Amino acid sequence: MLREVDPRRIHATILRLTQFGTRHTASSQTDPVRGIGAATAWVFAQMQAIAATSAGRMTVQQQTFTQPVASNIPCRPRSPT
């Protein structure tokens, strides 16, 4: 199994996730380019592509949940210190 791990693909996945600008839970759920919604849609599409090669052994479902804003969840990510 380890021989099947592709470091370039891992790097490309991490790079792509950083391109959403933020994946903060309070970021946009609907923006198609930036935020948690766009990142979720991309991951979902990636998983669907993998499932399509599984001869029906894998299915993908997108679960939805919106985290209400709470006082212990900051609306803005903190600046690094």
Side-chain angles (χ1 to χ4, degrees):
M1 289 173 88
L2 285 176
R3 282 183 246 147
E4 294 181 29
V5 175
D6 182 356
R8 291 170 298 181
R9 183 169 179 158
I10 293 170
H11 181 267
T13 298
I14 293 169
L15 180 61
R16 180 64 184 116
L17 288 171
T18 64
Q19 292 170 344
F20 292 110
T22 181
R23 292 173 315 281
H24 191 278
T25 57
S27 65
S28 175
Q29 299 268 335
T30 57
D31 188 319
V33 177
R34 179 176 168 77
I36 192 80
T40 300
W42 181 80
V43 170
F44 181 69
Q46 295 297 300
M47 297 303 293
Q48 282 185 310
I50 294 167
T53 67
S54 74
R57 293 184 309 271
M58 177 179 165
T59 59
V60 180
Q61 294 180 338
Q62 187 169 6
Q63 305 295 313
T64 58
F65 174 77
T66 302
Q67 173 66 46
V69 176
S71 61
N72 63 337
I73 302 173
C75 290
R76 291 181 157 197
R78 295 181 187 158
S79 298
T81 54

